[in-house]
Amino acid sequence: MPLIISNLKLRLSDDESILGKLVAQKLGIREDVLKSLRVTRMSLDARKKNDICFIHTVAVSLRDSAAERAILSRRVHDVSPAVVEISLPLKPGDEKQHGRIIVVGAGPAGLFCAYKLSLEGYSPLLIERGYDVERRQRDVENFWSSANLDPDSNIMFGEGGAGTFSDGKLTTRIKDPRVSSVLQILIENGSPKEIGILAKPHIGTDLLRGVVSSIRKRIQSLGAEVRFGTRLVSFNENDSRITHAILQSDTGTESIECSALVLAIGQGARDTYRLLKESGVDMTPKPFAVGVRIEHPRVMINKSQYGPMFEHPRLGAAEYRVAAQSGSRGVYSFCMCPGGSVIASSSDHGEVVTNGMSYHARDAENSNSALVVSVSPSDYGNDVLDGMRFQQELERRAYELGGKSYFAPCQTAGSFIDARKRNSVGDIKPSYRPGVRLCNLNEALPVFVSEPLKFGLNAFGKQINGFDRDDAMLTAVETRTSAPLRINRNELSISTSFNNLYPVGEGAGYAGGIVSAAVDGLRAAESIVSRYAKD
């Protein structure tokens, strides 16, 4: 039985080749008794700036199984038996399919749902209102360089969803065995193998684009159909069941009979939210957060987080996470992008939205994160779509302040906190394209957001040296932290309104990142397989 040994400390000057020696010392055996050793997890511990180290967990087996049992019987600290996860094959259900299984949206939830269905021998139809990642990349670059927005091909819409143009973070707080399956699928499709062991893995947008394309091609090779430039515009229902999905593309409108309709729409599909409300789908408004993007020099953040070792080649760009409480409101960083850029993420005309993005190397001049304040239905109204309308109001106001050109309104932190200070670009150059316009961000945000942000800046300046420096750049507006509503469903991922509608992922209000959305897609696929017989 393999043994799991945790809390093995390696300093920056140590090589992983000494892990065998450390394991032998901990177990009280000779090193040559080790039969195999494999790193299963690695995290960075930078709490002590003069003693930064990597913490390893390893799986080992010994040449003598009796010795393994003897070590376990001694209850050696940080040593435990390996838990072998047995994955039982899914048993197909017996309900006859009447029409196709249609997956709406090719973000992580939709891609992984279609992937799992295809692996199990089903042949779903995956539709995406945007386009393949190759065309999408050209359209996004065109928007950033010329402010020519395509409402159907942008940061929010297209193959891979919003995560395709992000830092590609794969951290998640959920404890679900499917997480390892998601990481393995990503590795099989071109992600660096290191994501399988790092405590805070990321891919980077440059690598993630190829991974997304590979997953789609794999889905197609298994018999699924993928249609880009195709959106769900309506559906027919009978006796609490969706019978036909009405799809629209450049070739016209088509009605397709469906057995199951998976809604993996993403939170940008506001027209679909309106369709769902008009069709009587049960939804609930939910809290989310809004604010700005803040930029600092990457080197400054590295120095703050790593101390005198900030230039060590093994450390890379530093991350941070800050949080404070301003009265009843939480103020916190979100989607931190080390060595990245603030990006234009608008998905509709006349609206300015910001997000963050990093390449795998994380070597851009600035590091940025969203700095946001929690909001709730009591702030924006109790209608299920009021949160969406609140987002739009802020995005349209940002568009106006930016000069109606998709330039984003920005302000230095010093001027935002104290209007007596000059609002001019200092050493920190804003990275947002197409461009920025210096403004008073107090005009872009409601007081119940702007005042907690000021409180947070002061509080975080005490946690990270220079966080509240006068020339830190604030770019507005960050509104898409999570969906403003939840599409209600049961434990089988089935809508409480229609018994063959499966709302999944971030847009449905059940995920908060690439991995959790992908896990939610896998969960829905398993539910569908367990229900329906194969054709």
Side-chain angles (χ1 to χ4, degrees):
M1 176 185 294
L3 306 176
I4 300 297
I5 296 92
S6 56
N7 291 321
L8 297 172
K9 179 190 292 189
L10 266 64
R11 291 182 171 82
L12 294 179
S13 58
D14 293 333
D15 189 87
E16 281 193 0
S17 60
I18 71 168
L19 281 172
K21 179 181 178 180
L22 296 179
V23 168
Q25 290 174 348
K26 182 177 283 286
L27 299 183
I29 60 174
R30 298 190 318 273
E31 190 173 350
D32 61 6
V33 175
L34 295 175
K35 181 179 179 181
S36 66
L37 182 152
R38 176 174 58 89
V39 177
T40 61
R41 189 171 180 82
M42 182 174 70
S43 61
L44 178 67
D45 185 351
R47 290 173 296 178
K48 297 179 180 179
K49 301 297 186 287
N50 292 315
D51 188 25
I52 296 176
C53 57
F54 291 99
I55 307 299
H56 290 69
T57 299
V58 300
V60 302
S61 61
L62 308 184
R63 299 186 184 281
D64 183 354
S65 58
E68 293 176 352
R69 293 192 294 271
I71 289 170
L72 289 174
S73 68
R74 300 203 316 261
R75 299 183 182 275
V76 180
H77 186 60
D78 291 332
V79 178
S80 60
V83 177
V84 179
E85 294 182 359
I86 300 176
S87 180
L88 298 176
L90 281 174
K91 181 181 178 181
D94 54 14
E95 185 175 332
K96 180 177 174 55
Q97 292 188 46
H98 296 281
R100 306 192 67 174
I101 298 172
I102 302 174
V103 180
V104 182
L111 272 178
F112 277 76
C113 181
Y115 188 93
K116 181 66 173 178
L117 289 169
S118 301
L119 281 175
E120 295 294 331
Y122 295 73
S123 300
L125 167 61
L126 173 62
I127 69 167
E128 167 57 52
R129 68 192 301 162
Y131 296 94
D132 61 84
V133 73
E134 293 81 10
R135 172 175 168 176
R136 185 184 180 202
Q137 187 171 348
R138 294 193 299 270
D139 292 338
V140 167
E141 180 58 39
N142 181 47
F143 174 51
W144 288 346
S145 61
S146 64
N148 183 21
L149 175 67
D150 184 340
D152 289 321
S153 185
N154 47 62
I155 293 297
M156 299 301 295
F157 299 138
E159 185 176 24
T164 302
F165 294 86
S166 70
D167 182 61
K169 286 183 183 63
L170 303 177
T171 50
T172 179
R173 297 180 185 179
I174 65 172
K175 304 296 182 183
D176 191 300
R178 298 176 186 86
V179 169
S180 59
S181 297
V182 169
L183 297 178
Q184 185 57 40
I185 292 169
L186 291 170
I187 291 170
E188 290 170 357
N189 285 278
S191 296
K193 292 183 179 179
E194 66 195 33
I195 69 171
I197 63 170
L198 293 178
K200 294 184 177 180
H202 84 284
I203 300 178
T205 188
D206 47 341
L207 301 186
L208 188 55
R209 296 168 191 171
V211 173
V212 164
S213 177
S214 176
I215 293 175
R216 179 246 303 167
K217 292 173 182 176
R218 176 62 173 152
I219 290 171
Q220 290 172 314
S221 73
L222 291 168
E225 181 184 0
V226 180
R227 298 186 193 178
F228 293 109
T230 303
R231 71 173 70 194
L232 174 74
V233 294
S234 186
F235 54 80
N236 298 330
E237 55 92 8
N238 182 46
D239 194 23
S240 299
R241 183 182 182 87
I242 294 174
T243 59
H244 293 78
I246 314 301
L247 311 182
Q248 188 177 77
S249 66
D250 290 342
T251 60
T253 302
E254 181 180 5
S255 175
I256 300 181
E257 186 178 14
C258 65
S259 294
L261 184 65
V262 180
L263 274 183
I265 54 175
Q267 56 166 303
R270 290 167 171 168
D271 53 350
T272 309
Y273 283 157
R274 287 189 284 266
L275 166 65
L276 297 177
K277 182 184 178 184
E278 292 167 1
S279 302
V281 174
D282 186 22
M283 301 186 290
T284 305
K286 63 180 273 294
F288 57 104
V290 298
V292 297
R293 279 270 155 184
I294 186 167
E295 291 189 87
H296 302 94
R298 171 171 51 87
V299 172
M300 186 205 90
I301 297 298
N302 289 354
K303 285 181 179 179
S304 175
Q305 299 300 86
Y306 296 146
M309 302 301 294
F310 77 96
E311 291 184 303
H312 197 285
R314 293 188 65 186
L315 290 177
E319 299 182 48
Y320 66 76
R321 186 179 177 203
V322 290
Q325 194 71 22
S326 176
S328 62
R329 296 187 188 275
V331 190
Y332 57 94
S333 61
F334 175 81
C335 185
M336 197 265 160
C337 297
S341 305
V342 177
I343 59 172
S345 304
S346 303
S347 57
D348 206 353
H349 294 301
E351 299 173 355
V352 163
V353 185
T354 65
N355 206 335
M357 183 184 81
S358 301
Y359 292 122
H360 183 70
R362 289 177 162 179
D363 57 0
E365 183 177 351
N366 292 347
S367 289
N368 74 82
S369 73
L371 200 62
V372 294
V373 175
S374 58
V375 297
S376 66
S378 63
D379 295 312
Y380 55 74
N382 291 312
D383 183 84
V384 72
L385 298 184
D386 278 347
M388 180 187 81
R389 298 183 185 109
F390 175 67
Q391 289 175 321
Q392 287 181 297
E393 179 185 342
L394 295 181
E395 293 163 11
R396 289 168 180 166
R397 192 182 306 172
Y399 178 77
E400 295 282 336
L401 288 170
K404 301 181 181 180
S405 59
Y406 294 105
F407 276 38
C410 76
Q411 186 173 17
T412 58
S415 174
F416 178 64
I417 295 172
D418 184 352
R420 293 170 296 181
K421 293 184 178 180
R422 185 178 178 184
N423 184 26
S424 60
V425 176
D427 291 339
I428 303 173
K429 303 298 187 290
S431 58
Y432 178 98
R433 293 191 296 151
V436 297
R437 183 184 183 191
L438 290 170
C439 299
N440 179 3
L441 294 188
N442 291 280
E443 298 177 11
L445 301 164
V447 173
F448 61 78
V449 173
S450 61
E451 290 305 309
L453 281 178
K454 295 172 187 177
F455 175 87
L457 282 165
N458 286 317
F460 304 149
K462 296 178 176 66
Q463 300 175 32
I464 297 177
N465 186 33
F467 195 93
D468 60 344
R469 57 188 276 180
D470 282 352
D471 63 346
M473 292 306 305
L474 307 178
T475 307
V477 63
E478 175 90 18
T479 53
R480 309 288 183 92
T481 55
S482 67
L485 57 81
R486 177 169 288 118
I487 307 172
N488 296 325
R489 70 185 191 189
N490 63 20
E491 67 279 0
L492 296 176
S493 301
I494 301 173
S495 163
T496 53
S497 301
F498 296 98
N499 64 22
N500 62 339
L501 178 65
Y502 294 77
V504 299
E506 285 203 39
Y510 293 97
I514 293 171
V515 172
S516 60
V519 164
D520 207 44
L522 293 178
R523 187 183 294 112
E526 293 167 7
S527 179
I528 291 170
V529 169
S530 298
R531 175 177 179 178
Y532 291 101
K534 295 181 184 180
D535 279 344

